Amino acid sequence: MLFEFFAPRLRAFVSKPGADRSVIEDVVQETFVNIWRKAHLYDPEKASASTWIYTVARNARIDFLRKAVRPAVDLTDPVLAVDPIQNPQQQLSQAEEGVRLQRALASLPDKQREVLKLAFFADLAHAEIAKELKLPLGTVKSRIRLALGRMRMEFGEDES
Amino acid sequence: MIRHHPSDELMLDYAAGSLGEASSLALATHLTLCPQCRAANQRLDAVGGNFFAHPVEGTPGQETLNSVMARISSEQAVPRAVAHPLHPALPQPLRLALGCDLDAVPWKRLGIDAYQCVISTRDKIATARLLRIPAGRPVPVHTHCGNELTLVLRGAFSDLTGNYTPGDFQEADDRLVHQPHAEPAEDCVCLAVTEAPLQFKSWAARIVQPFLGI
């Protein structure tokens, strides 16, 4: 069941050293309530369930822990630019995208994967990751660029 | 055609949720205008989702479930669709932050013939503002104490790093001393996010800086 699978993961996602237990509980609850509230916005063609739940949890974490708002794209915005070159037949299915992404992530050197994990799961910006790992900022930036470049390559997009 | 995009590290911070509100506003506005970066952003969200697949220790928590169920069953139906104006000029994240569209921006004079509108956010580190530089005019030479993000919305500007047209995104750090010029065809409107006050190079600009509010 959704709750049994995701509740412990969400708690791990929100937990930071020194974080208040009741705040963690608030974020976990808010995430599930928002999943229910926003279920009509979930499009399985566009994202896997865990990706969508990740975005809902991330937004709840920003709301409760950072007490901030996160401006985001509105896909119904009349100003939204659509890709004129995109051929619908070339578009990968969500499942195929997932397979490629996992392949790309699995092939990353540990040091690059560590940076991604700290970014997503320790709630650290890249400058904070550099401090945490006691590395020059440039080293962290280059690990991020190599990791994302590897992902672009997997999706046949590395034009640069 | 957008040629200048946000860096990988900025895209990562945005997807991971650690980017401040003012910079996130610049990202969300660029993503509205750039399908390529929007696809890259979706993929980064999927990286975040992918980490959820790893097993973790811990129990689901029956009390949590009870509280969630109680909240859901007491919830009222909420209005869903956002109403958009018919032909908006600015991307929605920016309209939302400004509380208006481009035709109603409360411009304030900035120096001799430039205009600005500071956008109120809860960000304590960085400030977002719209800048309007008249066609063909320069922005005074400046450096920054921190990073500066600039996103072109109307018109175009050039500096020593290149030419920037609508949708283009510039990231400058404190090493860049630049003098952007608006292109002569039309006024240039940009969203600018600065981490610290700009530092103007000329003594005259430095003297008037406190009065410009930039």
Side-chain angles (χ1 to χ4, degrees), chain B residues 68-140:
Chain B
V68 169
M69 296 314 273
R71 280 180 64 187
I72 287 174
S73 50
S74 66
E75 187 112 345
Q76 304 291 316
V78 276
R80 278 166 180 188
V82 183
H84 294 290
L86 199 54
H87 298 292
L90 296 174
Q92 198 261 0
L94 203 48
R95 295 201 307 275
L96 205 65
L98 278 164
C100 66
D101 204 350
L102 190 57
D103 54 0
V105 172
W107 293 108
K108 293 228 164 81
R109 193 172 270 280
L110 175 67
I112 298 160
D113 53 4
Y115 296 85
Q116 72 161 338
C117 172
V118 175
I119 301 168
S120 88
T121 64
R122 286 198 270 177
D123 199 318
K124 292 187 184 77
I125 296 160
T127 306
R129 53 164 63 82
L130 283 189
L131 287 175
R132 196 175 95 216
I133 312 299
R137 303 292 302 171
V139 179

Side-chain angles (χ1 to χ4, degrees), chain B residues 182-204:
Chain B
E183 295 284 318
E186 59 174 318
D187 288 3
C188 179
V189 177
C190 310
L191 171 64
V193 176
T194 42
E195 274 183 350
L198 301 180
Q199 295 184 319
F200 290 103
K201 275 292 179 192
S202 84
W203 64 268

Side-chain angles (χ1 to χ4, degrees), chain A residues 113-125 129 132-133:
Chain A
R113 198 173 23 247
E114 177 189 35
V115 170
L116 293 185
K117 198 159 183 192
L118 285 172
F120 284 102
F121 263 66
D123 196 14
L124 296 175
I129 293 173
E132 180 73 24
L133 298 178

Side-chain angles (χ1 to χ4, degrees), chain A residues 140-153:
Chain A
V140 170
K141 283 188 187 182
S142 94
R143 285 182 191 173
I144 293 170
R145 289 176 188 192
L146 287 168
L148 271 55
R150 175 72 192 81
M151 281 163 53
R152 277 192 288 272
M153 214 164 74

Side-chain angles (χ1 to χ4, degrees), chain B residues 116-179:
Chain B
Q116 72 161 338
C117 172
V118 175
I119 301 168
S120 88
T121 64
R122 286 198 270 177
D123 199 318
K124 292 187 184 77
I125 296 160
T127 306
R129 53 164 63 82
L130 283 189
L131 287 175
R132 196 175 95 216
I133 312 299
R137 303 292 302 171
V139 179
V141 181
H142 61 276
T143 54
H144 339 92
C145 303
N147 295 327
E148 180 187 44
L149 310 178
T150 310
L151 172 65
V152 181
L153 299 160
R154 280 284 180 281
F157 78 82
S158 302
D159 66 11
L160 72 170
T161 67
N163 176 255
Y164 295 80
T165 60
D168 277 338
F169 194 97
Q170 184 186 50
E171 278 178 71
D173 64 19
D174 50 9
R175 284 167 305 177
L176 180 70
V177 179
H178 62 158
Q179 181 160 39

